Amino acid sequence: MKNLLFTTTMLLIAASSIAQLYVKPTTVGSNPSYIYAKNVQLYVEGTIGLEKNPLGDYEGSIYLRDEAQLFQGEASTYNSGDGILSVYQTANGDQYDYNFFASPVGTPSGSIILGGDSNSSGGPGRIEVSNDISAIPTDIGSTNIINNWTGNSTSSSLNISKSWLYKYTSDATGWQAVGNAVSSNSVAPGYGYSMKGVNTSGNTTDPYLDTQFQQYDFRGRPNTGNIEVGVTVEGSTLAGNPYPSAIDLFSFFNDSDNTELTRILFWDENRAIESHYYVNNQGGYGTWIPGVPIPSDPESEYGDYVVAPYLSYDNDGFPIIGSNTGNTTQVGNHYRRRFSPIGQGFILKSDAGEGGTSGSIFFKNSHRVYKKVSSGESIFRQSETSDTDQLKKLAYDNNNQNSDTNQNEDDFSSLSNYSDANYIDANYNNAKIRLSAYFPGSHFRDIIINLSNDATKGFDRGLDAVHPMDATSDAYMPIEDGKKLVIQSIPIDINAIIPITITTDIVGSVVFSVYEEYNLPFDNAYLFDAAQTTFQVITGGNSATVNIEEVGESTNRFYIVFKSQDQVEYETAEKTGLNLAKETVDVFQDNRLSVMEILNPERFDIKEAAVFDMSGKLVHTERNIGDQTRYNFPTTTLSDGVYIVKLTTQDNLLLDYKITIYNKN
């Protein structure tokens, strides 16, 4: 037997490259040869040729273990041979839960040549039972695709249910069955497929695993090079990481060949529900884009991800109208989605080619990066500490904290800062708020608003994300070009007004809360209801409840703003001069002389003075007073009592005064 063992103690393999790599038995029929890489980066500059070992226990040519990953250079040729690379991946989810997969390997075939001409198709047929006993990897056991709805596994056998194996290459073709036999590998490189898990393993010793994990062994010829995936205008393509290494979705999204890509969707579901029936389950799609990085928030380096709403579905797979069944307090988890691990599948959404034609995006070796699942930076839907519980808690516990709908802001000394662009640039690079819209008895909708001077008021690819619109009751942010957004980035401006449209299939209440705030340059954010003329604060642990009286879309009614009603009124008064008028114009009664006097030192042009008794009756009027600094008129005809005096200027500023008349003579 001849083998190479690479471990973390052998730094040479991570620091230098192998120009070309060929692995084949030293003697046909005996002495298998293989590479065993443990917890390292195995880098090959050129192509790889693998010849299958004839011995069953040593079938593989390359074994990647303990998060070892394979990387290759930018060669224009592909790997070849019938040899096998073996790499493990752990996907959480039992026999009732979906995951989206993409095969990092294809079907091995042919002889070793100097660079192959293509990658080969893969699929569930490339998955085997993972066995790694002692230091020697073995190929014990088998994988079967079975007719039963429920998959299962043993120490020597993996039984995958065929009922849940589907691919989705475009909206035109829809969901297509992958195949019935384990030998069926009909999924092209770069595309993904759906698959439910197998029975619960119950391993709780690893902190990065939960009780619903299953470890899979992907075996086949490793994919490499540029891998093309077709996309259509605002269509969906089930794709995924096609390499035996992690990929950086930042690099993938921002590649100059992938400008059609607008967002990436990840499926998530309520794994506490043990049923195959749509009507009993809850799940949905989370949305990821690169987003706006915030220097003070390390989490922002992983992009913007709005969590999946847990929706209920009918027997045809459509969201249920009205109240969802089951546990309505659940919502998808937060994940660091930037680094996509080995085997992970996801949905690509695209604007596609010019003129509304179909297009292509490309996975490339340059997108590959060494990130470990155990570090928490590369996630295959594993459990993770998050703020999801905070989302749920705020929506419930703070529901009764919004009785003061018109917030009082008496101190406006800092308002000058908000309008000073230099102050904003120097102190607030970017800011973010994460908003929850809760539809009681149904679901949560996660929404992100970024404040950044790198953004515009229109649609910014990579900074804005179109709403999935996958629920019958929902909330979204409309913009002028007709797009409906679930993530929106706008310039930093305290005067910003962000419309929120609510669409509902039943009348009732909707609860809004901001449950994450980063570097917000303003005191608060408010939900402004134009129909009710109310400003409800939604930051600082507060929530706002609005009532929807009619089924359908509530447009031109709800807005996210950063000024309270008192602030708006104050600034309006400042702009029009009302505050100065209130401070300088005065009215008083000289009861000794029985005259009413108006003092106007700033010379406002007063067109009318109207005097009303306490019943609201107009008892005296003086018109065309002008801009005199002092003006008086007699009050001898007026009875003793309390009166209201209203002054109106030529600019329609209105000033109110209460005067007591007591004529002594």
Side-chain angles (χ1 to χ4, degrees), residues 260-552:
E260 301 96 335
L261 184 63
T262 57
R263 61 199 185 279
I264 301 176
L265 307 184
F266 293 86
W267 173 257
D268 197 4
E269 66 182 78
N270 187 345
R271 293 182 292 146
I273 299 175
E274 303 288 78
S275 176
H276 289 306
Y277 292 100
Y278 280 117
V279 293
N280 295 333
N281 271 291
Q282 293 179 334
Y285 289 97
T287 301
W288 183 90
I289 57 172
V292 176
I294 300 175
S296 61
D297 174 28
E299 288 295 315
S300 70
E301 298 177 1
Y302 296 92
D304 280 339
Y305 178 66
V306 290
V307 303
Y310 281 170
L311 307 172
S312 294
Y313 299 86
D314 61 23
N315 285 322
D316 295 320
F318 296 103
I320 293 176
I321 295 176
S323 220
N324 280 345
T325 60
N327 191 341
T328 60
T329 65
Q330 296 298 308
V331 68
N333 286 322
H334 286 273
Y335 296 109
R336 293 174 169 182
R337 292 294 192 185
R338 172 175 177 175
F339 302 108
S340 182
I342 296 170
Q344 186 173 62
F346 39 73
I347 297 287
L348 302 179
K349 302 293 286 188
S350 171
D351 281 342
E354 297 181 0
T357 61
S358 60
S360 297
I361 62 95
F362 294 87
F363 293 97
K364 300 178 180 179
N365 284 347
S366 59
H367 305 152
R368 298 163 75 167
V369 61
Y370 187 53
K371 291 292 181 179
K372 299 179 180 181
V373 173
S374 60
S375 68
E377 293 183 326
S378 181
I379 300 296
F380 200 107
R381 225 187 73 184
Q382 292 181 336
S383 297
E384 178 180 290
T385 301
S386 70
D387 294 321
T388 303
D389 290 337
Q390 185 183 3
L391 181 156
K392 291 180 266 186
K393 184 177 186 299
L394 285 176
Y396 286 103
D397 294 348
N398 295 324
N399 194 17
N400 297 320
Q401 293 186 14
N402 60 342
S403 57
D404 185 13
T405 57
N406 294 287
Q407 299 296 317
N408 294 317
E409 300 287 346
D410 296 327
D411 182 8
F412 306 113
S413 60
S414 62
L415 282 177
S416 59
N417 289 338
Y418 296 148
S419 59
D420 187 341
N422 292 329
Y423 175 84
I424 292 292
D425 290 342
N427 294 276
Y428 300 96
N429 295 319
N430 294 306
K432 183 191 304 289
I433 59 176
R434 187 182 292 271
L435 177 69
S436 164
Y438 173 55
F439 297 81
S442 183
H443 65 282
F444 293 86
R445 171 60 66 189
D446 193 20
I447 295 171
I448 291 177
I449 299 173
N450 291 311
L451 305 176
S452 171
N453 288 329
D454 293 329
T456 69
K457 294 182 179 180
F459 181 80
D460 299 307
R461 177 183 174 272
L463 303 183
D464 298 323
V466 173
H467 198 291
M469 299 303 293
D470 51 357
T472 53
S473 292
D474 225 320
Y476 63 84
M477 298 173 287
I479 57 177
E480 291 184 357
D481 65 0
K483 287 184 171 65
K484 302 173 181 179
L485 304 183
V486 70
I487 303 175
Q488 183 175 9
S489 299
I490 61 171
I492 300 175
D493 182 5
I494 195 174
N495 298 303
I497 299 175
I498 305 169
I500 296 284
T501 295
I502 299 176
T503 177
T504 58
D505 48 46
I506 56 174
V507 297
S509 61
V510 181
V511 182
F512 287 90
S513 302
V514 170
Y515 68 98
E516 286 185 286
E517 303 173 33
Y518 292 113
N519 208 34
L520 192 64
F522 314 130
D523 293 333
N524 280 304
Y526 303 86
L527 180 69
F528 170 49
D529 183 344
Q532 301 295 326
T533 320
T534 59
F535 289 71
Q536 299 184 63
V537 65
I538 54 177
T539 46
N542 295 283
S543 63
T545 300
V546 298
N547 294 315
I548 306 299
E549 298 82 10
E550 296 181 0
V551 172

Side-chain angles (χ1 to χ4, degrees), residues 107-123:
T107 304
S109 63
S111 58
I112 296 177
I113 60 175
L114 186 60
D117 57 1
S118 67
N119 293 304
S120 56
S121 295

Side-chain angles (χ1 to χ4, degrees), residues 207-253:
Y208 301 103
L209 303 178
D210 66 17
T211 58
Q212 292 181 327
F213 88 100
Q214 175 62 43
Q215 186 167 263
Y216 298 100
D217 186 355
F218 290 94
R219 294 199 170 198
R221 183 198 299 167
N223 295 323
T224 188
N226 291 358
I227 297 176
E228 182 178 359
V229 173
V231 291
T232 56
V233 179
E234 276 307 310
S236 299
T237 301
L238 177 50
N241 177 7
Y243 304 112
S245 68
I247 60 172
D248 185 352
L249 293 181
F250 270 36
S251 298
F252 172 64
F253 191 97

Side-chain angles (χ1 to χ4, degrees), residues 63-241:
Y63 294 94
L64 302 179
R65 295 295 181 261
D66 290 347
E67 303 208 70
Q69 298 176 24
L70 172 66
F71 297 86
Q72 291 186 251
E74 293 300 308
S76 59
T77 55
Y78 298 87
N79 300 326
S80 63
D82 62 356
I84 291 173
L85 174 137
S86 168
V87 59
Y88 289 168
Q89 180 54 278
T90 299
N92 288 33
D94 61 17
Q95 61 266 50
Y96 298 104
D97 303 324
Y98 276 113
N99 274 308
F100 287 170
F101 289 90
S103 182
V105 295
T107 304
S109 63
S111 58
I112 296 177
I113 60 175
L114 186 60
D117 57 1
S118 67
N119 293 304
S120 56
S121 295
R126 304 275 26 105
I127 296 176
E128 298 193 16
V129 179
S130 63
N131 291 282
D132 193 1
I133 58 175
S134 70
I136 306 300
T138 63
D139 190 28
I140 301 173
S142 61
T143 298
N144 308 295
I145 295 183
I146 60 176
N147 293 326
N148 293 341
W149 282 11
T150 303
N152 61 82
S153 69
T154 67
S155 60
S156 61
S157 177
L158 183 68
N159 299 308
I160 299 172
S161 171
K162 74 169 187 179
S163 302
W164 323 111
L165 301 176
Y166 285 87
K167 58 185 177 181
Y168 197 102
T169 55
S170 71
D171 292 343
T173 58
W175 291 99
Q176 301 170 293
V178 169
N180 297 336
V182 69
S183 59
S184 176
N185 290 287
S186 61
V187 183
Y191 289 89
Y193 58 93
S194 66
M195 186 177 81
K196 285 192 176 183
V198 294
N199 54 282
T200 300
S201 298
N203 186 330
T204 59
T205 59
D206 190 328
Y208 301 103
L209 303 178
D210 66 17
T211 58
Q212 292 181 327
F213 88 100
Q214 175 62 43
Q215 186 167 263
Y216 298 100
D217 186 355
F218 290 94
R219 294 199 170 198
R221 183 198 299 167
N223 295 323
T224 188
N226 291 358
I227 297 176
E228 182 178 359
V229 173
V231 291
T232 56
V233 179
E234 276 307 310
S236 299
T237 301
L238 177 50
N241 177 7

